[in-house]
Amino acid sequence: MAGSSAKWKRAVVKLSGEALMGSQTHGLDEATLARIARDLAQSAAMGVEIAVVVGGGNFFRGIQGADKGIDRARADSIGMLATVMNALAVEHAIERAGQPARALSAVPMPYVCQPYSRQAALNHLGKGRVIVLAGGTGNPFFTTDTGAALRAAELSANVLLKATQVDGVYSADPKKDPGAVRYDTLTQDEAIAKNLAVMDTAAFALARENQIPIVVFRLAGEEAIANALAGKGLSTLVTPEGRGKGAGSP
Ligand code: UDP
């Protein structure tokens, strides 16, 4: 058990679409969904208010469509719809794990879930529901990483958790360079100076401007999210400078 020692009061957790497909090549893997949902339910039980931002890459990325001749804005709309499918699946899995959850979509689809608004999101969080945010920013030419940073800023989250396949930020790609070193902590300025890609550029800029710390951690295994929230296990904490002025102070 990760225990009830969460470091943060309100967290945005970014899950890529690929994180939901397990060992499959696309789509959703039921066992993986169930594991992540248990983890999120446990994290909420630790008293953390949780907003999950889901990607869509397990179904469709706009850039793939653009490569095949679909205009980019339309291709990105398809990508945003992919995130809605994931959000509905994650919402269902969290509820199955015993925790109330609500999907909210930045692309309004009132027949399938509530449209996203800051007010609705804060209302659900205040009632102890995990919110699952679909549609990224609601605009083409963005990613769900940027959507996650945007929601973290507007919901005054104390931290942005970026789930990845590796256990933090490395000095080089650990799959290619055996000498790559993992950082326990980094400042956002150090990440820029060392040219380390923590999130995509727009997402990182938003987090930096709004002084939101980013925790990069490995999603594989039980309780990965709960442990990251409790500061247990391996991860990299990317801190803003001058903490306390913006949204990012715990
Ligand atoms: N997308 C978009 N605007 C956003 C977020 C996402 O148009 O604000 C589209 C874009 O086409 C993207 C796709 O949705 O490729 C899926 O999101 P993303 O690539 O971020 O998913 P992930 O890689 O995290 O699974």
PDB file of all heavy atoms in Angstrom, residues 8-41:
ATOM      1  N   TRP A   8       0.677  15.982  -2.413  1.00  0.00           N
ATOM      2  CA  TRP A   8      -0.013  17.020  -3.180  1.00  0.00           C
ATOM      3  C   TRP A   8      -1.512  16.974  -2.897  1.00  0.00           C
ATOM      4  O   TRP A   8      -2.073  15.907  -2.660  1.00  0.00           O
ATOM      5  CB  TRP A   8       0.214  16.794  -4.673  1.00  0.00           C
ATOM      6  CG  TRP A   8       1.632  16.450  -5.023  1.00  0.00           C
ATOM      7  CD1 TRP A   8       2.144  15.198  -5.192  1.00  0.00           C
ATOM      8  CD2 TRP A   8       2.718  17.345  -5.210  1.00  0.00           C
ATOM      9  NE1 TRP A   8       3.479  15.277  -5.493  1.00  0.00           N
ATOM     10  CE2 TRP A   8       3.858  16.590  -5.506  1.00  0.00           C
ATOM     11  CE3 TRP A   8       2.841  18.750  -5.162  1.00  0.00           C
ATOM     12  CZ2 TRP A   8       5.109  17.163  -5.757  1.00  0.00           C
ATOM     13  CZ3 TRP A   8       4.070  19.310  -5.420  1.00  0.00           C
ATOM     14  CH2 TRP A   8       5.184  18.523  -5.709  1.00  0.00           C
ATOM     15  N   LYS A   9      -2.162  18.122  -2.990  1.00  0.00           N
ATOM     16  CA  LYS A   9      -3.612  18.177  -2.724  1.00  0.00           C
ATOM     17  C   LYS A   9      -4.432  17.930  -3.985  1.00  0.00           C
ATOM     18  O   LYS A   9      -5.473  17.300  -3.957  1.00  0.00           O
ATOM     19  CB  LYS A   9      -3.982  19.561  -2.170  1.00  0.00           C
ATOM     20  CG  LYS A   9      -3.590  19.728  -0.700  1.00  0.00           C
ATOM     21  CD  LYS A   9      -4.313  20.904  -0.063  1.00  0.00           C
ATOM     22  CE  LYS A   9      -3.850  22.239  -0.592  1.00  0.00           C
ATOM     23  NZ  LYS A   9      -3.019  23.030   0.285  1.00  0.00           N
ATOM     24  N   ARG A  10      -3.970  18.501  -5.085  1.00  0.00           N
ATOM     25  CA  ARG A  10      -4.717  18.346  -6.338  1.00  0.00           C
ATOM     26  C   ARG A  10      -3.715  18.058  -7.462  1.00  0.00           C
ATOM     27  O   ARG A  10      -2.761  18.814  -7.633  1.00  0.00           O
ATOM     28  CB  ARG A  10      -5.518  19.613  -6.645  1.00  0.00           C
ATOM     29  CG  ARG A  10      -6.325  19.531  -7.919  1.00  0.00           C
ATOM     30  CD  ARG A  10      -7.173  20.770  -8.126  1.00  0.00           C
ATOM     31  NE  ARG A  10      -8.218  20.903  -7.115  1.00  0.00           N
ATOM     32  CZ  ARG A  10      -8.872  22.033  -6.859  1.00  0.00           C
ATOM     33  NH1 ARG A  10      -8.600  23.127  -7.547  1.00  0.00           N
ATOM     34  NH2 ARG A  10      -9.808  22.073  -5.928  1.00  0.00           N
ATOM     35  N   ALA A  11      -3.978  16.992  -8.197  1.00  0.00           N
ATOM     36  CA  ALA A  11      -3.009  16.573  -9.216  1.00  0.00           C
ATOM     37  C   ALA A  11      -3.700  16.367 -10.555  1.00  0.00           C
ATOM     38  O   ALA A  11      -4.823  15.858 -10.620  1.00  0.00           O
ATOM     39  CB  ALA A  11      -2.338  15.264  -8.786  1.00  0.00           C
ATOM     40  N   VAL A  12      -3.023  16.764 -11.613  1.00  0.00           N
ATOM     41  CA  VAL A  12      -3.425  16.365 -12.956  1.00  0.00           C
ATOM     42  C   VAL A  12      -2.513  15.218 -13.373  1.00  0.00           C
ATOM     43  O   VAL A  12      -1.290  15.319 -13.252  1.00  0.00           O
ATOM     44  CB  VAL A  12      -3.313  17.542 -13.962  1.00  0.00           C
ATOM     45  CG1 VAL A  12      -3.452  17.046 -15.397  1.00  0.00           C
ATOM     46  CG2 VAL A  12      -4.374  18.593 -13.669  1.00  0.00           C
ATOM     47  N   VAL A  13      -3.106  14.118 -13.794  1.00  0.00           N
ATOM     48  CA  VAL A  13      -2.337  12.945 -14.218  1.00  0.00           C
ATOM     49  C   VAL A  13      -2.517  12.787 -15.725  1.00  0.00           C
ATOM     50  O   VAL A  13      -3.637  12.629 -16.202  1.00  0.00           O
ATOM     51  CB  VAL A  13      -2.836  11.658 -13.507  1.00  0.00           C
ATOM     52  CG1 VAL A  13      -2.020  10.453 -13.965  1.00  0.00           C
ATOM     53  CG2 VAL A  13      -2.775  11.818 -11.994  1.00  0.00           C
ATOM     54  N   LYS A  14      -1.401  12.862 -16.463  1.00  0.00           N
ATOM     55  CA  LYS A  14      -1.490  12.683 -17.919  1.00  0.00           C
ATOM     56  C   LYS A  14      -1.186  11.234 -18.285  1.00  0.00           C
ATOM     57  O   LYS A  14      -0.103  10.727 -17.998  1.00  0.00           O
ATOM     58  CB  LYS A  14      -0.501  13.633 -18.618  1.00  0.00           C
ATOM     59  CG  LYS A  14      -0.206  13.300 -20.070  1.00  0.00           C
ATOM     60  CD  LYS A  14      -1.393  13.462 -21.014  1.00  0.00           C
ATOM     61  CE  LYS A  14      -1.342  12.525 -22.213  1.00  0.00           C
ATOM     62  NZ  LYS A  14      -0.253  12.703 -23.151  1.00  0.00           N
ATOM     63  N   LEU A  15      -2.185  10.583 -18.897  1.00  0.00           N
ATOM     64  CA  LEU A  15      -2.015   9.205 -19.383  1.00  0.00           C
ATOM     65  C   LEU A  15      -2.058   9.229 -20.904  1.00  0.00           C
ATOM     66  O   LEU A  15      -3.036   9.717 -21.491  1.00  0.00           O
ATOM     67  CB  LEU A  15      -3.175   8.319 -18.904  1.00  0.00           C
ATOM     68  CG  LEU A  15      -3.378   8.122 -17.413  1.00  0.00           C
ATOM     69  CD1 LEU A  15      -4.618   7.239 -17.197  1.00  0.00           C
ATOM     70  CD2 LEU A  15      -2.159   7.483 -16.777  1.00  0.00           C
ATOM     71  N   SER A  16      -1.048   8.701 -21.540  1.00  0.00           N
ATOM     72  CA  SER A  16      -1.096   8.640 -23.007  1.00  0.00           C
ATOM     73  C   SER A  16      -2.054   7.519 -23.419  1.00  0.00           C
ATOM     74  O   SER A  16      -2.339   6.601 -22.635  1.00  0.00           O
ATOM     75  CB  SER A  16       0.300   8.370 -23.574  1.00  0.00           C
ATOM     76  OG  SER A  16       0.662   7.045 -23.271  1.00  0.00           O
ATOM     77  N   GLY A  17      -2.526   7.592 -24.636  1.00  0.00           N
ATOM     78  CA  GLY A  17      -3.367   6.508 -25.149  1.00  0.00           C
ATOM     79  C   GLY A  17      -2.614   5.185 -25.127  1.00  0.00           C
ATOM     80  O   GLY A  17      -3.183   4.134 -24.797  1.00  0.00           O
ATOM     81  N   GLU A  18      -1.333   5.247 -25.463  1.00  0.00           N
ATOM     82  CA  GLU A  18      -0.542   4.008 -25.503  1.00  0.00           C
ATOM     83  C   GLU A  18      -0.487   3.316 -24.146  1.00  0.00           C
ATOM     84  O   GLU A  18      -0.391   2.093 -24.072  1.00  0.00           O
ATOM     85  CB  GLU A  18       0.886   4.311 -25.981  1.00  0.00           C
ATOM     86  CG  GLU A  18       0.951   4.460 -27.485  1.00  0.00           C
ATOM     87  CD  GLU A  18       2.337   4.795 -27.999  1.00  0.00           C
ATOM     88  OE1 GLU A  18       3.270   4.891 -27.181  1.00  0.00           O
ATOM     89  OE2 GLU A  18       2.465   4.971 -29.220  1.00  0.00           O
ATOM     90  N   ALA A  19      -0.583   4.087 -23.082  1.00  0.00           N
ATOM     91  CA  ALA A  19      -0.531   3.499 -21.740  1.00  0.00           C
ATOM     92  C   ALA A  19      -1.736   2.586 -21.502  1.00  0.00           C
ATOM     93  O   ALA A  19      -1.704   1.724 -20.627  1.00  0.00           O
ATOM     94  CB  ALA A  19      -0.512   4.604 -20.688  1.00  0.00           C
ATOM     95  N   LEU A  20      -2.800   2.792 -22.285  1.00  0.00           N
ATOM     96  CA  LEU A  20      -4.041   2.037 -22.066  1.00  0.00           C
ATOM     97  C   LEU A  20      -4.122   0.776 -22.922  1.00  0.00           C
ATOM     98  O   LEU A  20      -5.051  -0.002 -22.790  1.00  0.00           O
ATOM     99  CB  LEU A  20      -5.263   2.931 -22.367  1.00  0.00           C
ATOM    100  CG  LEU A  20      -5.306   4.276 -21.635  1.00  0.00           C
ATOM    101  CD1 LEU A  20      -6.505   5.086 -22.107  1.00  0.00           C
ATOM    102  CD2 LEU A  20      -5.373   4.065 -20.122  1.00  0.00           C
ATOM    103  N   MET A  21      -3.157   0.593 -23.813  1.00  0.00           N
ATOM    104  CA  MET A  21      -3.292  -0.548 -24.727  1.00  0.00           C
ATOM    105  C   MET A  21      -2.505  -1.776 -24.281  1.00  0.00           C
ATOM    106  O   MET A  21      -2.536  -2.810 -24.957  1.00  0.00           O
ATOM    107  CB  MET A  21      -2.938  -0.143 -26.156  1.00  0.00           C
ATOM    108  CG  MET A  21      -1.495   0.165 -26.414  1.00  0.00           C
ATOM    109  SD  MET A  21      -1.327   0.831 -28.102  1.00  0.00           S
ATOM    110  CE  MET A  21       0.453   0.825 -28.239  1.00  0.00           C
ATOM    111  N   GLY A  22      -1.808  -1.665 -23.127  1.00  0.00           N
ATOM    112  CA  GLY A  22      -1.064  -2.813 -22.616  1.00  0.00           C
ATOM    113  C   GLY A  22      -0.093  -3.329 -23.660  1.00  0.00           C
ATOM    114  O   GLY A  22       0.626  -2.552 -24.281  1.00  0.00           O
ATOM    115  N   SER A  23      -0.100  -4.647 -23.880  1.00  0.00           N
ATOM    116  CA  SER A  23       0.844  -5.203 -24.860  1.00  0.00           C
ATOM    117  C   SER A  23       0.221  -5.290 -26.263  1.00  0.00           C
ATOM    118  O   SER A  23       0.821  -5.844 -27.178  1.00  0.00           O
ATOM    119  CB  SER A  23       1.305  -6.587 -24.394  1.00  0.00           C
ATOM    120  OG  SER A  23       0.161  -7.381 -24.169  1.00  0.00           O
ATOM    121  N   GLN A  24      -0.992  -4.767 -26.406  1.00  0.00           N
ATOM    122  CA  GLN A  24      -1.616  -4.798 -27.734  1.00  0.00           C
ATOM    123  C   GLN A  24      -1.015  -3.714 -28.629  1.00  0.00           C
ATOM    124  O   GLN A  24      -0.296  -2.832 -28.152  1.00  0.00           O
ATOM    125  CB  GLN A  24      -3.116  -4.571 -27.595  1.00  0.00           C
ATOM    126  CG  GLN A  24      -3.787  -5.604 -26.701  1.00  0.00           C
ATOM    127  CD  GLN A  24      -5.291  -5.423 -26.671  1.00  0.00           C
ATOM    128  OE1 GLN A  24      -5.899  -5.106 -27.667  1.00  0.00           O
ATOM    129  NE2 GLN A  24      -5.881  -5.622 -25.509  1.00  0.00           N
ATOM    130  N   THR A  25      -1.337  -3.769 -29.907  1.00  0.00           N
ATOM    131  CA  THR A  25      -0.767  -2.777 -30.828  1.00  0.00           C
ATOM    132  C   THR A  25      -1.664  -1.546 -30.963  1.00  0.00           C
ATOM    133  O   THR A  25      -1.240  -0.513 -31.460  1.00  0.00           O
ATOM    134  CB  THR A  25      -0.559  -3.387 -32.233  1.00  0.00           C
ATOM    135  OG1 THR A  25      -1.794  -3.995 -32.640  1.00  0.00           O
ATOM    136  CG2 THR A  25       0.546  -4.440 -32.212  1.00  0.00           C
ATOM    137  N   HIS A  26      -2.907  -1.643 -30.553  1.00  0.00           N
ATOM    138  CA  HIS A  26      -3.783  -0.477 -30.556  1.00  0.00           C
ATOM    139  C   HIS A  26      -4.978  -0.757 -29.638  1.00  0.00           C
ATOM    140  O   HIS A  26      -5.127  -1.879 -29.130  1.00  0.00           O
ATOM    141  CB  HIS A  26      -4.268  -0.165 -31.974  1.00  0.00           C
ATOM    142  CG  HIS A  26      -5.270  -1.156 -32.473  1.00  0.00           C
ATOM    143  ND1 HIS A  26      -4.913  -2.414 -32.894  1.00  0.00           N
ATOM    144  CD2 HIS A  26      -6.628  -1.090 -32.575  1.00  0.00           C
ATOM    145  CE1 HIS A  26      -5.995  -3.073 -33.255  1.00  0.00           C
ATOM    146  NE2 HIS A  26      -7.058  -2.297 -33.067  1.00  0.00           N
ATOM    147  N   GLY A  27      -5.802   0.238 -29.435  1.00  0.00           N
ATOM    148  CA  GLY A  27      -7.037   0.049 -28.664  1.00  0.00           C
ATOM    149  C   GLY A  27      -6.794  -0.049 -27.170  1.00  0.00           C
ATOM    150  O   GLY A  27      -5.813   0.472 -26.646  1.00  0.00           O
ATOM    151  N   LEU A  28      -7.708  -0.723 -26.516  1.00  0.00           N
ATOM    152  CA  LEU A  28      -7.721  -0.745 -25.053  1.00  0.00           C
ATOM    153  C   LEU A  28      -7.486  -2.153 -24.526  1.00  0.00           C
ATOM    154  O   LEU A  28      -8.032  -3.110 -25.058  1.00  0.00           O
ATOM    155  CB  LEU A  28      -9.092  -0.258 -24.555  1.00  0.00           C
ATOM    156  CG  LEU A  28      -9.426   1.197 -24.900  1.00  0.00           C
ATOM    157  CD1 LEU A  28     -10.914   1.463 -24.729  1.00  0.00           C
ATOM    158  CD2 LEU A  28      -8.605   2.140 -24.033  1.00  0.00           C
ATOM    159  N   ASP A  29      -6.698  -2.265 -23.483  1.00  0.00           N
ATOM    160  CA  ASP A  29      -6.469  -3.556 -22.844  1.00  0.00           C
ATOM    161  C   ASP A  29      -7.178  -3.542 -21.486  1.00  0.00           C
ATOM    162  O   ASP A  29      -6.875  -2.693 -20.624  1.00  0.00           O
ATOM    163  CB  ASP A  29      -4.963  -3.789 -22.649  1.00  0.00           C
ATOM    164  CG  ASP A  29      -4.692  -5.097 -21.934  1.00  0.00           C
ATOM    165  OD1 ASP A  29      -5.072  -6.149 -22.464  1.00  0.00           O
ATOM    166  OD2 ASP A  29      -4.128  -5.042 -20.819  1.00  0.00           O
ATOM    167  N   GLU A  30      -8.096  -4.448 -21.334  1.00  0.00           N
ATOM    168  CA  GLU A  30      -8.970  -4.450 -20.154  1.00  0.00           C
ATOM    169  C   GLU A  30      -8.191  -4.549 -18.835  1.00  0.00           C
ATOM    170  O   GLU A  30      -8.450  -3.813 -17.891  1.00  0.00           O
ATOM    171  CB  GLU A  30      -9.948  -5.613 -20.264  1.00  0.00           C
ATOM    172  CG  GLU A  30     -11.097  -5.510 -19.310  1.00  0.00           C
ATOM    173  CD  GLU A  30     -12.438  -5.577 -20.047  1.00  0.00           C
ATOM    174  OE1 GLU A  30     -12.503  -5.188 -21.209  1.00  0.00           O
ATOM    175  OE2 GLU A  30     -13.378  -6.022 -19.438  1.00  0.00           O
ATOM    176  N   ALA A  31      -7.220  -5.459 -18.805  1.00  0.00           N
ATOM    177  CA  ALA A  31      -6.461  -5.655 -17.561  1.00  0.00           C
ATOM    178  C   ALA A  31      -5.642  -4.410 -17.222  1.00  0.00           C
ATOM    179  O   ALA A  31      -5.526  -4.016 -16.052  1.00  0.00           O
ATOM    180  CB  ALA A  31      -5.551  -6.874 -17.700  1.00  0.00           C
ATOM    181  N   THR A  32      -5.090  -3.782 -18.246  1.00  0.00           N
ATOM    182  CA  THR A  32      -4.300  -2.562 -18.015  1.00  0.00           C
ATOM    183  C   THR A  32      -5.199  -1.438 -17.503  1.00  0.00           C
ATOM    184  O   THR A  32      -4.855  -0.727 -16.552  1.00  0.00           O
ATOM    185  CB  THR A  32      -3.600  -2.131 -19.329  1.00  0.00           C
ATOM    186  OG1 THR A  32      -2.821  -3.231 -19.792  1.00  0.00           O
ATOM    187  CG2 THR A  32      -2.710  -0.927 -19.120  1.00  0.00           C
ATOM    188  N   LEU A  33      -6.354  -1.306 -18.152  1.00  0.00           N
ATOM    189  CA  LEU A  33      -7.326  -0.293 -17.705  1.00  0.00           C
ATOM    190  C   LEU A  33      -7.707  -0.518 -16.245  1.00  0.00           C
ATOM    191  O   LEU A  33      -7.763   0.421 -15.449  1.00  0.00           O
ATOM    192  CB  LEU A  33      -8.597  -0.418 -18.532  1.00  0.00           C
ATOM    193  CG  LEU A  33      -8.813   0.522 -19.703  1.00  0.00           C
ATOM    194  CD1 LEU A  33     -10.109   0.153 -20.405  1.00  0.00           C
ATOM    195  CD2 LEU A  33      -8.865   1.966 -19.227  1.00  0.00           C
ATOM    196  N   ALA A  34      -7.972  -1.774 -15.903  1.00  0.00           N
ATOM    197  CA  ALA A  34      -8.398  -2.096 -14.533  1.00  0.00           C
ATOM    198  C   ALA A  34      -7.282  -1.767 -13.532  1.00  0.00           C
ATOM    199  O   ALA A  34      -7.541  -1.223 -12.455  1.00  0.00           O
ATOM    200  CB  ALA A  34      -8.787  -3.575 -14.435  1.00  0.00           C
ATOM    201  N   ARG A  35      -6.046  -2.076 -13.901  1.00  0.00           N
ATOM    202  CA  ARG A  35      -4.923  -1.784 -12.989  1.00  0.00           C
ATOM    203  C   ARG A  35      -4.776  -0.272 -12.775  1.00  0.00           C
ATOM    204  O   ARG A  35      -4.646   0.203 -11.646  1.00  0.00           O
ATOM    205  CB  ARG A  35      -3.617  -2.350 -13.567  1.00  0.00           C
ATOM    206  CG  ARG A  35      -2.380  -1.890 -12.819  1.00  0.00           C
ATOM    207  CD  ARG A  35      -1.101  -2.521 -13.307  1.00  0.00           C
ATOM    208  NE  ARG A  35      -0.811  -2.339 -14.710  1.00  0.00           N
ATOM    209  CZ  ARG A  35      -0.330  -1.211 -15.246  1.00  0.00           C
ATOM    210  NH1 ARG A  35      -0.088  -0.158 -14.491  1.00  0.00           N
ATOM    211  NH2 ARG A  35      -0.095  -1.142 -16.540  1.00  0.00           N
ATOM    212  N   ILE A  36      -4.831   0.487 -13.872  1.00  0.00           N
ATOM    213  CA  ILE A  36      -4.683   1.942 -13.750  1.00  0.00           C
ATOM    214  C   ILE A  36      -5.851   2.523 -12.947  1.00  0.00           C
ATOM    215  O   ILE A  36      -5.678   3.415 -12.121  1.00  0.00           O
ATOM    216  CB  ILE A  36      -4.587   2.575 -15.162  1.00  0.00           C
ATOM    217  CG1 ILE A  36      -3.271   2.141 -15.823  1.00  0.00           C
ATOM    218  CG2 ILE A  36      -4.671   4.093 -15.093  1.00  0.00           C
ATOM    219  CD1 ILE A  36      -3.151   2.530 -17.287  1.00  0.00           C
ATOM    220  N   ALA A  37      -7.041   1.971 -13.170  1.00  0.00           N
ATOM    221  CA  ALA A  37      -8.223   2.457 -12.449  1.00  0.00           C
ATOM    222  C   ALA A  37      -8.103   2.180 -10.948  1.00  0.00           C
ATOM    223  O   ALA A  37      -8.442   3.035 -10.119  1.00  0.00           O
ATOM    224  CB  ALA A  37      -9.480   1.806 -13.015  1.00  0.00           C
ATOM    225  N   ARG A  38      -7.605   0.999 -10.581  1.00  0.00           N
ATOM    226  CA  ARG A  38      -7.393   0.691  -9.149  1.00  0.00           C
ATOM    227  C   ARG A  38      -6.406   1.687  -8.543  1.00  0.00           C
ATOM    228  O   ARG A  38      -6.592   2.181  -7.433  1.00  0.00           O
ATOM    229  CB  ARG A  38      -6.797  -0.723  -8.983  1.00  0.00           C
ATOM    230  CG  ARG A  38      -7.770  -1.862  -9.059  1.00  0.00           C
ATOM    231  CD  ARG A  38      -7.143  -3.154  -8.518  1.00  0.00           C
ATOM    232  NE  ARG A  38      -5.945  -3.584  -9.208  1.00  0.00           N
ATOM    233  CZ  ARG A  38      -5.933  -4.296 -10.350  1.00  0.00           C
ATOM    234  NH1 ARG A  38      -7.067  -4.648 -10.932  1.00  0.00           N
ATOM    235  NH2 ARG A  38      -4.787  -4.667 -10.912  1.00  0.00           N
ATOM    236  N   ASP A  39      -5.372   1.960  -9.306  1.00  0.00           N
ATOM    237  CA  ASP A  39      -4.336   2.892  -8.869  1.00  0.00           C
ATOM    238  C   ASP A  39      -4.928   4.294  -8.648  1.00  0.00           C
ATOM    239  O   ASP A  39      -4.667   4.962  -7.631  1.00  0.00           O
ATOM    240  CB  ASP A  39      -3.250   2.896  -9.961  1.00  0.00           C
ATOM    241  CG  ASP A  39      -1.937   3.477  -9.520  1.00  0.00           C
ATOM    242  OD1 ASP A  39      -1.857   3.999  -8.400  1.00  0.00           O
ATOM    243  OD2 ASP A  39      -0.967   3.422 -10.315  1.00  0.00           O
ATOM    244  N   LEU A  40      -5.748   4.735  -9.611  1.00  0.00           N
ATOM    245  CA  LEU A  40      -6.364   6.061  -9.495  1.00  0.00           C
ATOM    246  C   LEU A  40      -7.339   6.110  -8.325  1.00  0.00           C
ATOM    247  O   LEU A  40      -7.402   7.095  -7.582  1.00  0.00           O
ATOM    248  CB  LEU A  40      -7.087   6.421 -10.802  1.00  0.00           C
ATOM    249  CG  LEU A  40      -6.169   6.758 -11.985  1.00  0.00           C
ATOM    250  CD1 LEU A  40      -6.954   6.764 -13.294  1.00  0.00           C
ATOM    251  CD2 LEU A  40      -5.497   8.120 -11.770  1.00  0.00           C
ATOM    252  N   ALA A  41      -8.095   5.015  -8.143  1.00  0.00           N
ATOM    253  CA  ALA A  41      -9.049   4.965  -7.029  1.00  0.00           C
ATOM    254  C   ALA A  41      -8.289   5.030  -5.698  1.00  0.00           C
ATOM    255  O   ALA A  41      -8.694   5.727  -4.763  1.00  0.00           O
ATOM    256  CB  ALA A  41      -9.889   3.693  -7.115  1.00  0.00           C
TER     257      ALA A  41
END
